């Protein structure tokens, strides 16, 4: 099984926290869609005949695509690749785009899963982040999607936004649970340098939350999700039983995927490809039947580190035997005292040679992963 990711690099306006590749100018939108369709044809052999189980429209704001543009891209995929009959086809959407009419267009185009970027139900927080929708639209668009027959819905929320206490965050979660969506992705507000919040922070115009405040909101999130019957199957992702994201789960399991569009990444097990993050350069290159990308060949150390990075974030954990047998990296040999320390501190557990992070350990996942990674000079 394999996946296809399509990066749609257009947005109505720039969110103050976002550092993904996008443009607020729609001047090249039609040409970019045509170029993406052309890239799909040129990259037909990349997945080597594997069946495509998941298709994911990300961005940017893919809900800005017209029904005809979506149908063109999906038709091209079906013409060039073997697509599973029950493929998960996800489209990221902003609430202000999801009118009842738009929802019917998406269903008609073949979208069967929606990822809705709510981020917050608190109006001042939406304004701080420069979101284009209101808190009321956040609620109504989910209800409209459900009424339109979309039962596979995920929504995004952001925590760690500066506030006097945790009341707003708990209210956001209460509102979320009332909507009954089966999947939720929750991310800490991260201040990237090349964003409005990053520039304001540097100038002293914005003060990010303290780490302890954000960590406490994460703990509250874990507690509330558990109470409501959601499984934390990856650090930032929660679902009701049998509603995991197939596409993202495949990323974490190391399944191969093709990424098309400006700035999209691809992975085939032994290398990664990175498309140019520039719309015009991308369009111009595809006009000459050239895919503009950089190639990174993965060393055995890279592959081991990739596996550590992804698997430790999940509920199924990091198989230490796989690290040893597939990547020739023995964590016991290299980090036995550290593994013992993690278990003694209640940060991790090991069962049947699978390393799992505890709820407490997930707060330190990045550092733990870094500590366990293979040093490049060892290869």
């Amino acid at each position: 099984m394999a996946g296809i990711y399509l990066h749609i690099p257009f947005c109505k306006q720039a969110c103050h926290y976002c550092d993904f590749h996008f443009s607020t100018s729609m001047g090249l939108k039609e040409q970019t869609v045509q170029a993406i369709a052309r890239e799909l044809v040129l990259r037909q052999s990349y997945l080597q005949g594997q069946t495509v189980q998941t298709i994911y429209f990300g961005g940017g704001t893919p809900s800005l695509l017209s029904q005809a543009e979506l149908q063109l891209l999906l038709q091209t995929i079906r013409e060039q690749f073997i697509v599973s009959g029950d493929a998960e086809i996800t489209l990221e959407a902003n609430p202000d785009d999801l009118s009842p009419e738009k929802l019917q267009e998406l269903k008609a185009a073949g979208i069967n899963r929606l990822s809705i970027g709510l981020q917050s139900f608190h109006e001042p927080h939406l304004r701080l982040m420069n979101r284009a929708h209101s808190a009321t639209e956040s609620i109504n668009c989910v209800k409209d999607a459900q009424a339109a027959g979309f039962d596979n819905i995920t929504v995004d929320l952001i925590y760690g936004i500066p506030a006097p206490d945790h009341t707003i965050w708990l209210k956001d979660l209460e509102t979320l649970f009332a909507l009954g969506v089966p999947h939720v992705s929750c991310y800490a507000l991260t201040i990237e340098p090349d964003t409005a919040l990053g520039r304001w922070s540097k100038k002293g115009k914005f003060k990010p939350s303290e780490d302890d405040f954000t960590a406490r909101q994460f703990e509250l999130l874990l507690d509330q999700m558990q109470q409501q019957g959601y499984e934390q199957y990856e650090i930032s992702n929660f679902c009701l039983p049998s509603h995991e994201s197939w596409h993202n789960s495949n990323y974490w399991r190391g399944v191969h995927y093709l990424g098309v569009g400006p700035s999209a990444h691809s992975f085939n097990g032994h290398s990664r490809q990175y498309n140019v993050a520039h719309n015009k350069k991308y369009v111009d290159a595809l006009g000459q039947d050239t895919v503009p990308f950089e190639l990174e060949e993965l060393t055995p150390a890279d592959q081991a580190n990739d596996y550590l990075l992804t698997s430790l974030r999940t509920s199924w954990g990091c198989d230490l035997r796989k690290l040893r047998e597939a990547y020739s990296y023995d964590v016991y040999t290299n980090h036995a005292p550290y593994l013992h320390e993690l278990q003694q501190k209640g940060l991790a557990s090991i069962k049947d040679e699978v390393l799992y992070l505890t709820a407490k350990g997930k707060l330190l996942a990045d550092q733990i992963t870094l500590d366990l990674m293979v040093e490049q000079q060892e290869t």
Side-chain angles (χ1 to χ4, degrees), residues 165-178:
D165 54 33
H166 303 301
T167 303
I168 295 170
W169 178 229
L170 289 171
K171 181 64 176 177
D172 270 0
L173 292 174
E174 179 183 338
T175 304
L176 165 73
F177 296 136

Side-chain angles (χ1 to χ4, degrees), residues 80-208:
Q80 301 298 321
F81 301 88
I82 302 168
V83 180
S84 172
D86 65 346
E88 175 191 86
I89 306 176
T90 304
L91 180 131
E92 292 182 352
N94 281 342
D96 44 300
D97 293 327
L98 293 182
S99 65
E101 295 76 21
K102 182 67 174 184
L103 287 162
Q104 291 304 322
E105 287 183 4
L106 295 178
K107 282 190 72 70
I111 303 301
N112 57 30
R113 183 174 183 268
L114 289 177
S115 176
I116 307 176
L118 304 183
Q119 316 309 354
S120 177
F121 297 102
H122 185 62
E123 201 69 45
H125 284 179
L126 291 173
R127 301 287 73 77
L128 170 69
M129 294 184 284
N130 200 38
R131 297 293 291 169
H133 64 276
S134 68
T136 299
E137 285 176 313
S138 291
I139 296 170
N140 290 342
C141 78
V142 174
K143 293 180 178 179
D144 287 343
Q146 292 166 332
F150 284 98
D151 54 7
N152 198 355
I153 297 173
T154 181
V155 301
D156 291 351
L157 287 182
I158 292 178
Y159 62 92
I161 303 170
D165 54 33
H166 303 301
T167 303
I168 295 170
W169 178 229
L170 289 171
K171 181 64 176 177
D172 270 0
L173 292 174
E174 179 183 338
T175 304
L176 165 73
F177 296 136
L179 290 172
V181 294
H183 189 285
V184 186
S185 297
C186 295
Y187 305 100
L189 180 64
T190 303
I191 310 303
E192 302 291 351
D194 194 24
T195 62
L197 290 181
R199 291 186 287 272
W200 295 344
S201 179
K202 186 176 181 180
K203 294 177 181 178
K205 295 181 179 180
F206 173 77
K207 184 179 180 181

Side-chain angles (χ1 to χ4, degrees), residues 267-272 296-310 322-323 326-327 329 374 376 379:
F267 169 75
N268 62 5
H270 57 79
S271 69
R272 294 189 184 278
E296 178 192 7
E297 296 288 351
L298 300 177
T299 67
D302 292 330
Q303 294 176 50
N305 288 339
D306 276 356
Y307 179 66
L308 277 164
L309 182 66
T310 53
K322 180 175 180 177
L323 271 176
Y327 307 121
Y329 181 54
V374 186
Q376 292 295 327
T379 63

